[in-house]
Amino acid sequence: STTAALDPHAPPPINGDWRVSYIYNNEPYESLVTFSQQGKALTGKGEDSAGPFFIASGAVQGTKVKFVKRYADADASKPSVEYAGDLEWEDDEDYRGWRMGGHYKAALSDGSVIDDKWVAISTVAEEAQQSANNAPPPQEEPQPVQQQPEQPTTQHSSGNGSHPHLSGMYAAQYQYNFKKIQTKLWLEQDGHHVSGHGVDTNTNEKFVVSKGWYNPPKLTIVCHYTKGQSAAANRELTVRATVSNGPSLRGETGFGGNWEARIVR
């Protein structure tokens, strides 16, 4: 339920939609999975870039979770994938709710084994956080005109006199699967909303900032890559960062890698 999904004292809720992100072949992927839990048994269904799948052999034991993902078309080139991980409560300015994460394994037809990371967040908690981030700030009491001397504005003033304004071009980098990716990033701030675009200069893959929320000093942006037009695959990279003077940005991606950016103009 919605209440359980946002309650750290309730038993960890699995029922419902989860946004599952994982690394495969050095690329980040994402799928939406609908889980159904009865007692300790866990089932469900979803779809990713390889096609629709269902959840089998799933079990929840306290905060431990495991399940097997099997593709619906039974294509031999799409092996079953075993997921194992932990449920934990996360509470910060960017996300408040239950989160799952761990490692998955899959045995390929050539005998090799894939073993990499996965994370998942509840869409109920995600939507609640987005609504909170998008809420207008409280209005201050108006002051008499004569008590409001005109203040000079600068490129990096946010309008409230205390937090950097984010609009501008940035040089960014992040760790991805033990590699350092260099990025040129253009951000445009409008109140608490942030948009933009960029390019990973190592791969020449382009992306757009499809979503962005700025709740000083916290910033969350979602970078969307479009397969064919500008990238090797459809994917999204979520970045949660803290903004400091400059402005400079420092945080991590949704896959746990370090991310940082500094304004260059």
Side-chain angles (χ1 to χ4, degrees):
S1 67
T2 300
T3 302
L6 301 176
D7 184 358
H9 305 296
I14 308 296
N15 285 321
D17 294 336
W18 290 72
R19 193 178 305 281
V20 181
S21 302
Y22 58 97
I23 299 292
Y24 172 66
N25 197 26
N26 295 332
E27 296 286 350
Y29 289 87
E30 188 175 88
S31 62
L32 186 66
V33 183
T34 301
F35 287 107
S36 178
Q37 181 184 355
Q38 292 188 347
K40 295 180 181 179
L42 187 64
T43 59
K45 61 182 180 179
E47 186 170 358
D48 59 22
S49 59
F53 57 81
F54 62 95
I55 301 300
S57 306
V60 181
Q61 193 83 280
T63 58
K64 299 291 184 180
V65 60
K66 62 180 180 180
F67 56 89
V68 176
K69 178 171 76 173
R70 293 178 179 162
Y71 288 94
D73 58 8
D75 185 340
S77 67
K78 302 174 184 176
S80 297
V81 187
E82 298 180 1
Y83 285 75
D86 297 281
L87 277 154
E88 59 182 15
W89 178 259
E90 184 173 317
D91 189 358
D92 59 31
E93 294 188 37
D94 298 317
Y95 179 77
R96 184 176 189 273
W98 287 98
R99 170 186 175 126
M100 293 190 285
H103 276 252
Y104 76 88
K105 292 183 179 181
L108 303 182
S109 57
D110 62 3
S112 61
V113 175
I114 297 174
D115 184 341
D116 220 316
K117 294 188 296 183
W118 68 279
V119 294
I121 58 175
S122 163
T123 61
V124 170
E126 181 184 37
E127 290 168 2
Q129 189 68 42
Q130 290 179 9
S131 296
N133 289 342
N134 291 335
Q139 297 296 317
E140 297 180 359
E141 290 293 328
Q143 297 181 0
V145 174
Q146 64 270 22
Q147 296 182 16
Q148 297 179 342
E150 182 176 351
Q151 298 293 329
T153 59
T154 64
Q155 177 183 356
H156 305 312
S157 170
S158 67
N160 59 16
S162 59
H163 300 295
H165 192 74
L166 300 183
S167 295
M169 187 180 83
Y170 293 77
Q173 63 181 27
Y174 61 96
Q175 296 291 333
Y176 175 61
N177 220 29
F178 305 106
K179 296 179 181 179
K180 182 179 290 186
I181 305 297
Q182 304 287 344
T183 299
K184 288 183 179 178
L185 174 65
W186 289 262
L187 294 180
E188 183 68 32
Q189 179 188 340
D190 182 8
H192 286 268
H193 298 275
V194 177
S195 58
H197 64 280
V199 57
D200 290 343
T201 55
N202 305 58
T203 62
N204 203 35
E205 290 186 308
K206 299 178 182 178
F207 60 87
V208 296
V209 178
S210 58
K211 302 175 186 176
W213 307 274
Y214 184 30
N215 187 17
K218 299 295 185 179
L219 169 69
T220 300
I221 58 174
V222 178
C223 304
H224 180 76
Y225 296 75
T226 301
K227 179 180 179 180
Q229 297 180 4
S230 58
N234 289 327
R235 64 183 187 275
E236 287 189 340
L237 179 72
T238 300
V239 175
R240 295 183 175 92
T242 300
V243 179
S244 56
N245 289 334
S248 64
L249 319 175
R250 186 180 298 270
E252 65 178 28
T253 68
F255 301 103
N258 294 328
W259 183 92
E260 59 183 24
R262 59 178 178 80
I263 197 163
V264 294
R265 74 177 188 197

